[in-house]
């Protein structure tokens, strides 16, 4: 069940796709490159066909079930923002031609009160390590979106960028309790356990049962099963978790990140390699343990949480076991090697040393696990040069902190812990760490001084921007928030 790719035992650096169409490696250095193929594929069973299905048609959905309601977090607060806000330029060398707001937005090097939401209380802030867009879930459980929209990932019915958060008309009658952001697609979770998707769908990452260039409005995914309680997105794939602990995946399988023991690879024509996508949610059936000379199935896996990087996935089960799979470069899977894993594989380190894991998080090329004993472990690489953590290593700077929320970007990390916000990340940085112009980057975890006296409930990171949810229950807390500078993109 292991990958057929050979490894020299060293940290495998990403390479760009070969022009002749042969097997390509993950490219983290240039987010302008589009992944996948223009050729539509019929899931994992067929390599050659033309897909003309109408998005969302002939979807067999379960009857509504009133026995379960998915709950969102109880906390509410005001939204703060820092980092890069020119959504057309984020993680790019130049702004693409034809952008209407090419020069709009600036780098915010300290946290600012997000002016368009200054009068709105919010339950959840959402972005992703591959995303230049974000989702806001308001106090009355409505979804608001803003940011890059070239592939319709905002779900507004067009491809116009939005600097100011707008409420989604298609979801106005639903109670939205969760969301997830991929590179160019978005998932929305309702309190009834239903999932809606929009954005780029050429690899089937929207899960609507077909492939298309875009799904421009939130469309219910093609899924029939128990209510969904958690959604997560990689760059071009998606994960959904049901209330019974089963995990489903769809989208690009190129590095095994879907967990179905395949990369979907096939020869299209003239030796050109392509990858057959998964267009609808498919349950992950097998979890394994690997030793030197044999593979053993792991029984009784009841998944409770899932997180996605660019092309890898980690999951936490009810027994506090950690599984990881997908692209293995730089040791981000925690198995002390760089091989891709096509099936969820248990991370042996946490079986002996890092027990009691309570939270899992993914950056583009790294993973973080936090345990109940105030220890955070990092594996993978948080910078583009230097050594990588090939297996989970405790983060010395974070010993003793009670971490409640973590946001991961391309290389940066921001954490809410005790009464502080802590961040770290190498250069280049664009203000997402919140330390000011004189300290744009730091490889050592540091408290964000600008947020002293402000209690942050939750953090979320995009590629180069950070959203923070600041508690505003007392007058003193409101006064502290109002002392921050405002950012008004209007």
């Amino acid at each position: 069940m292991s990958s057929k790719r050979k490894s020299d035992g060293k940290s495998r650096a990403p390479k760009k796709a070969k022009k002749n169409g042969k097997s390509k490696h993950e490219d983290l250095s240039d987010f302008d490159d589009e992944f996948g193929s223009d050729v539509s594929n019929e899931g994992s069973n067929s390599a050659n066909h033309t897909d003309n299905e109408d998005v969302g048609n002939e979807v067999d959905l379960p009857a509504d079930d009133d026995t379960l309601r998915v709950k969102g977090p109880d906390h509410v607060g005001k939204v703060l923002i820092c980092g890069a806000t020119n959504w057309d330029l984020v993680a790019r060398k130049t702004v693409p031609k034809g952008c209407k707001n090419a020069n709009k937005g600036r780098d915010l090097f300290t946290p600012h009160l997000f002016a368009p939401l200054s009068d709105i209380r919010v339950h959840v802030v959402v972005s992703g390590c591959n995303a230049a867009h974000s989702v806001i879930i308001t106090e009355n459980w409505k979804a608001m979106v803003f940011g890059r929209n070239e592939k319709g990932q905002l779900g507004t019915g067009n491809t116009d960028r939005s600097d100011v958060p707008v409420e989604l008309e298609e979801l106005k009658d639903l109670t939205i309790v969760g969301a997830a952001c991929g590179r160019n697609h978005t998932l929305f979770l309702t309190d009834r356990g239903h999932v809606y998707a929009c954005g780029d769908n050429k690899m089937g990452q929207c899960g609507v049962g077909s492939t298309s260039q875009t799904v421009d409005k939130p469309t219910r995914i093609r899924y029939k099963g128990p209510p969904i309680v958690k959604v997560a997105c990689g760059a071009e794939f998606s994960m959904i978790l049901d209330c019974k602990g089963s995990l489903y995946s769809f989208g690009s399988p190129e590095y095994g990140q879907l967990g179905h023991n395949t990369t979907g690879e096939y020869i299209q024509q003239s030796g050109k390699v392509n990858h057959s996508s998964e267009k609808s949610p498919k349950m992950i059936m097998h979890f394994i343990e690997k030793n030197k000379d044999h593979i053993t199935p792991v029984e009784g896996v009841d998944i409770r949480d899932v997180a996605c990087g660019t092309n890898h996935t980690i999951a936490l089960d009810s027994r506090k076991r950690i599984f990881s799979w997908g692209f293995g470069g730089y040791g981000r899977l925690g198995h002390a090697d760089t091989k891709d894993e096509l099936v969820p594989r248990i991370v042996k380190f946490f079986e002996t040393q890092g027990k009691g894991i309570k939270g899992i998080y993914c950056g583009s090329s790294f993973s973080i696990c936090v345990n109940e004993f105030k220890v955070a472990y990092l594996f993978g690489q948080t910078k583009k040069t230097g050594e990588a953590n090939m297996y989970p290593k405790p983060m010395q700077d974070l010993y003793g902190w009670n971490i409640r929320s973590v946001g991961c970007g391309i290389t940066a990390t921001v954490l809410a812990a005790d009464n502080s916000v802590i961040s770290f990340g190498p250069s280049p940085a664009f203000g997402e760490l919140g330390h000011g112009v004189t300290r744009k980057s730091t490889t050592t975890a540091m408290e964000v001084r600008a947020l002293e006296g402000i209690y942050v409930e939750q953090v979320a990171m995009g590629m180069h921007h950070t959203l923070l949810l600041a508690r505003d229950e007392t007058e003193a807390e409101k006064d502290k928030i109002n002392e921050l500078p405002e950012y008004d993109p209007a």
Side-chain angles (χ1 to χ4, degrees), residues 303-455:
I303 299 298
R304 296 297 176 87
D305 199 6
V306 61
C308 300
T310 300
N311 286 309
H312 77 288
T313 308
I314 61 175
L316 170 69
D317 82 345
S318 58
R319 300 184 188 180
K320 309 294 183 182
R321 297 178 294 191
I322 300 294
F323 297 85
S324 64
W325 62 100
F327 188 77
Y330 300 125
R332 72 195 73 184
L333 301 183
H335 302 307
D337 61 37
T338 62
K339 294 180 180 178
D340 298 352
E341 297 291 340
L342 309 188
V343 175
R345 175 185 174 185
I346 196 166
V347 181
K348 297 282 286 185
F349 176 89
F350 293 115
E351 292 294 282
T352 57
Q353 300 185 48
K355 294 186 177 180
I357 296 298
K358 67 174 184 178
I360 56 174
Y361 312 91
C362 286
S364 290
S365 57
F366 63 95
S367 307
I368 293 175
C369 296
V370 178
N371 73 9
E372 298 166 344
F373 308 106
K374 300 182 179 180
V375 181
Y377 298 86
L378 183 145
F379 41 109
Q381 190 174 53
T382 58
K383 50 186 178 180
K384 296 180 180 180
T385 59
E387 294 183 0
N389 289 355
M390 300 303 295
Y391 61 89
K393 293 183 180 179
M395 302 170 71
Q396 305 291 341
D397 296 335
L398 298 177
Y399 268 141
W401 288 93
N402 184 22
I403 299 170
R404 63 181 165 274
S405 182
V406 179
C408 299
I410 296 178
T411 56
T413 302
V414 179
L415 311 94
D418 294 321
N419 293 315
S420 299
V421 173
I422 302 166
S423 66
F424 61 93
S427 180
F430 304 88
E432 62 265 41
L433 302 183
H435 295 305
V437 177
T438 59
R439 195 65 181 264
K440 295 180 182 179
S441 63
T442 172
T443 55
T444 303
M446 294 177 56
E447 292 183 67
V448 180
R449 298 300 181 188
L451 293 173
E452 285 187 4
I454 296 176
Y455 187 90

Side-chain angles (χ1 to χ4, degrees), residues 82-85 90-91 131 409-411 428-432 461-466:
C82 59
T85 62
V90 170
I410 296 178
T411 56
F430 304 88
E432 62 265 41
M461 287 199 78
M463 286 192 287
H464 286 300
H465 72 282
T466 302

Side-chain angles (χ1 to χ4, degrees), residues 3 67 134 141 151 224 229 289 325:
S3 171
T67 60
S134 302
W141 305 107
K151 302 292 184 178
K224 180 170 67 175
V229 296
E289 178 179 347
W325 62 100

